[in-house]
Amino acid sequence: MPPSQKPTVLPELVFGIVGPMGVNMEAICDSLTNALRAVDYSAYPIHLTKEMLKEDRYKLQRYPVEAPGLSEKNFYTDVNFKINYANALCKEFSDAATMARIAIRAIGDERGRLTGDRSTLGGKAAAYIVRQLKRPDEAVLLRRVYGRQFILISAYGPAEQRQQ
């Protein structure tokens, strides 16, 4: 009779993606998702700029940032608005790791959606892909919270490609 084997419990992972403007983050996240799927992980994207604007959760009181009007909205104005909003949030909360705190909350929200409880890990292997970190303080906080389960990935692309 073969010895009984306990099922392997895979740890919850958190990947932080960092890279300059213009790098194809979608392609990097897709590649990472496919690699995770190959080792039986389910990947859950955490898009920080979407999270910070979600449901007006993070209202700016002291440092408001004006969103571009519809007539002036384009890639450049949209990116600048998001950068300015993230910077204003850090200033508003006097914390350079504010975006990491938003990521931690979003991970908890996603975990709650998956398991019914924000603080309970699910039975399936889960990996959260946080895009896109910009400050060292953010990586430091995520490392402090998730320990060795936090993996920082730096992405790069040639200047000509990023300008496009």
Side-chain angles (χ1 to χ4, degrees):
M1 184 187 283
S4 63
Q5 291 182 348
K6 291 183 183 178
T8 303
V9 178
L10 298 172
E12 178 180 76
L13 300 174
V14 176
F15 291 86
I17 311 294
V18 62
M21 190 180 339
V23 170
N24 187 345
M25 287 295 163
E26 198 65 37
I28 290 162
C29 291
D30 288 346
S31 293
L32 180 55
T33 297
N34 291 332
L36 287 163
R37 193 175 300 127
V39 291
D40 296 327
Y41 268 84
S42 296
Y44 302 96
I46 305 293
H47 199 293
L48 281 179
T49 54
K50 288 180 183 175
E51 290 296 326
M52 77 177 179
L53 298 170
K54 191 185 224 177
E55 304 167 15
D56 296 326
R57 230 180 223 181
Y58 306 101
K59 284 278 194 184
L60 295 169
Q61 302 297 320
R62 295 179 292 167
Y63 306 101
V65 175
E66 183 122 359
L70 287 178
S71 63
E72 58 189 22
K73 193 168 180 144
N74 58 46
F75 176 81
Y76 179 76
T77 58
D78 191 46
V79 167
N80 268 338
F81 166 72
K82 290 173 183 174
I83 289 169
N84 291 336
Y85 200 93
N87 289 340
L89 278 173
C90 291
K91 198 171 178 181
E92 181 92 13
F93 295 108
S94 302
D95 183 4
T98 295
M99 297 305 288
R101 294 181 192 288
I102 291 171
I104 291 165
R105 182 176 184 173
I107 289 167
D109 289 348
E110 186 64 22
R111 190 185 299 129
R113 190 185 68 72
L114 294 169
T115 68
D117 182 359
R118 299 174 52 84
S119 60
T120 301
L121 301 180
K124 290 186 173 183
Y128 302 95
I129 302 172
V130 180
R131 61 174 279 197
Q132 169 175 6
L133 302 176
K134 290 293 186 188
R135 295 168 187 81
D137 302 65
E138 296 163 350
V140 168
L141 178 60
L142 290 169
R143 172 80 63 217
R144 201 170 71 226
V145 170
Y146 297 105
R148 294 185 337 190
Q149 277 84 15
F150 173 69
I151 298 109
L152 184 64
I153 296 176
S154 177
Y156 182 76
E160 308 82 44
Q161 183 186 40
R162 291 184 316 213
Q163 283 178 328
Q164 289 177 355

